[in-house]
Amino acid sequence: MARRKLTPTRLKPARLSPRDVLHVGSGGMRSRPLRVVLSALGIAIGVATMIAVVGISASSKEQLLQRLDRLGTNMLVAEPGESMFAGESVKLPKHAVGMVSRIDGVEQAGATGTVEESVRRNEKVPENETGGISVQAASEGLLKVVRGEVGSGGWLNKANGRYPAVVLGHVSAARLGIGAAGQQVWLGDRYFTVVGILEPLPLAPELERAALVGWEAAERFLGFDGHPTAVYERSTRDSVRDVRSLLAPSLDPQNPQNIKVTDPSAKLQAKAAMEGAFSSLLLGLGGIALLVGGVGVANTMIISVLERRFEIGLRRSLGAARGQIRIQFITESLLLSGLGGLAGVLLGAAATGIFARVDGLPWVVPLWAVGGGFATTLVIGTVAGLYPAVRAARLSPTLALHAA
């Protein structure tokens, strides 16, 4: 009878299921909850700082974009520029509003004209104490063009625009101590009745510091010459570029270079585009806090390896492979960092919400910031747990049990 040749078979360690990996990886966290909380706190602070910085910046930008959408980006302003000849002043034609209104694509037009007078609370206030308030003649259609709102009283019309009536910008009203329509101010050589106070005008801040009187009243009572100093117009969105190229030639066909055309919404657009540019420093500080948190996690894992040498040696003597020891401690590091990352995301979102509520901003937390912040914590957790895991896997079972 022939004997069978027995060949030795190499034993292979059983594979750990994901459930087993999660169980052994969280064992150290369950046994030392206070250390887990303190270690995760550094990660949480770093992530919360980054989420809050990005969230507050995004909320401010969203508010600007909403304001731009409400105010529109289709308004242009034409003003006298610098003359080619020194000492020669440039004036817009008296019928500038009508000329602009005839341009294809223009939907609304209005104008203001500078009046060489000062407005004061009463005649006893010295003339040179103007408070930085200018006096402007205003056309009836101006308010619609700038999309302004009257907070108190009403706007100039054909009736009150012929008489001593004035509308104050909200800054002018505050400086003059006028709280509501119906009061009077001294303008020129007589009292004018305040018929309205405007709300803030983001696209026309120069009107916030002005006293606006009717066109006809300015000519009758204040010596206004009838020449506008600024023409405001709104066109359809598709024709803004064409209208801009036609404004100067329409107002001054012989010398169009003397007319300056500006887009008031450009400042808000630039501000929205630059929003968050100054948050780089705070993001850097958040990143440093996150790195410090990662160092804390690595330190915690190294101490955990030293304290659990008996557990490591026992598992190795019962057949656990080095790879299983490594995955145990890397999993524990990932769970520790992930816990801190989750807490940081919640804290950052809450901080953004509180700031937005206090400042009246829309609450915006970009998903990329949440995902990026949490993914960063996982990367840091992996790196922080790699060395302790390798060190634990290299422990000799005999020496580990003997040292214990």
Side-chain angles (χ1 to χ4, degrees):
M1 183 175 178
R3 294 182 178 180
R4 293 182 179 179
K5 188 176 180 180
L6 298 177
T7 57
T9 58
R10 187 177 181 181
L11 297 178
K12 296 181 178 180
R15 291 175 178 266
L16 293 176
S17 66
R19 182 178 180 181
D20 294 332
V21 171
L22 185 62
H23 179 73
V24 297
S26 61
M29 297 176 60
R30 294 194 302 269
S31 62
R32 299 170 180 82
L34 181 59
R35 183 183 296 175
V36 169
V37 172
L38 294 177
S39 299
L41 185 60
I43 297 287
I45 292 175
V47 174
T49 301
M50 299 177 72
I51 295 294
V53 168
V54 174
I56 291 173
S57 176
S59 299
S60 299
K61 184 175 181 179
E62 181 63 23
Q63 184 190 45
L64 287 173
L65 292 176
Q66 290 180 4
R67 182 183 297 178
L68 272 173
D69 186 62
R70 183 176 66 255
L71 298 175
T73 57
N74 57 338
M75 188 179 87
L76 298 174
V77 181
E79 300 173 289
E82 296 292 334
S83 175
M84 295 177 58
F85 304 99
E88 182 178 339
S89 61
V90 177
K91 287 189 177 183
L92 297 179
K94 291 186 177 182
H95 303 290
V97 173
M99 298 167 70
V100 170
S101 300
R102 288 191 288 270
I103 300 175
D104 290 338
V106 173
E107 296 180 324
Q108 299 170 334
T112 59
T114 300
V115 178
E116 300 297 333
E117 290 288 352
S118 62
V119 57
R120 293 164 286 164
R121 190 64 181 85
N122 53 58
E123 71 275 18
K124 297 181 180 180
V125 177
E127 293 185 7
N128 57 351
E129 295 184 9
T130 63
I133 303 173
S134 64
V135 180
Q136 301 280 339
S139 63
E140 296 175 20
L142 177 65
L143 190 65
K144 291 183 179 180
V145 179
V146 299
R147 292 186 179 173
E149 296 181 358
V150 180
S152 174
W155 177 245
L156 300 168
N157 52 46
K158 292 183 179 180
N160 59 28
R162 301 170 55 190
Y163 300 99
V166 61
V167 173
L168 299 176
H170 80 284
V171 175
S172 302
R175 292 178 179 177
L176 290 170
I178 304 297
Q183 298 178 263
Q184 291 186 321
V185 294
W186 186 261
L187 209 167
D189 60 353
R190 69 189 66 210
Y191 278 103
F192 276 61
T193 301
V194 178
V195 296
I197 298 176
L198 299 177
E199 294 288 345
L201 301 170
L203 291 185
E206 65 277 4
L207 300 183
E208 298 176 353
R209 297 166 177 79
L212 305 170
V213 299
W215 207 269
E216 187 175 345
E219 292 177 329
R220 289 178 59 189
F221 304 114
L222 303 175
F224 176 51
D225 62 3
H227 288 277
T229 51
V231 177
Y232 302 76
E233 68 81 28
R234 278 196 183 270
S235 54
T236 60
R237 294 183 182 274
D238 297 334
S239 60
V240 173
R241 182 175 298 180
D242 295 334
V243 171
R244 181 166 191 156
S245 64
L246 293 173
L247 269 178
S250 298
L251 292 173
D252 194 344
Q254 296 181 346
N255 298 293
Q257 71 278 358
N258 291 344
I259 306 300
K260 179 177 65 174
V261 180
T262 58
D263 180 2
S265 65
K267 293 182 180 179
L268 290 178
Q269 294 179 45
K271 187 176 181 180
M274 291 296 294
E275 190 65 45
F278 297 103
S279 62
S280 301
L281 177 60
L282 294 178
L283 281 176
L285 294 176
I288 293 174
L290 197 56
L291 290 177
V292 172
V295 173
V297 171
N299 185 52
T300 299
M301 296 306 301
I302 292 175
I303 295 175
S304 180
V305 169
L306 295 176
E307 291 179 346
R308 296 162 65 187
R309 286 178 296 177
F310 178 78
E311 174 192 336
I312 297 169
L314 184 60
R315 290 196 63 207
R316 291 282 285 122
S317 64
L318 293 176
R322 290 183 175 181
Q324 293 174 342
I325 299 298
R326 284 194 296 268
I327 195 67
Q328 172 187 349
F329 283 92
I330 288 178
T331 301
E332 183 175 338
S333 178
L334 280 173
L335 290 174
L336 186 58
S337 300
L339 180 63
L342 180 60
V345 168
L346 295 177
L347 288 174
T352 302
I354 294 173
F355 183 88
R357 184 177 182 86
V358 171
D359 279 21
L361 303 175
W363 183 25
V364 178
V365 179
L367 292 178
W368 65 264
V370 175
F374 190 74
T376 303
T377 62
L378 298 182
V379 173
I380 290 179
T382 303
V383 174
L386 191 60
Y387 171 72
V390 172
R391 181 171 178 175
R394 288 178 177 177
L395 283 175
S396 170
T398 305
L399 293 178
L401 291 173
H402 178 70

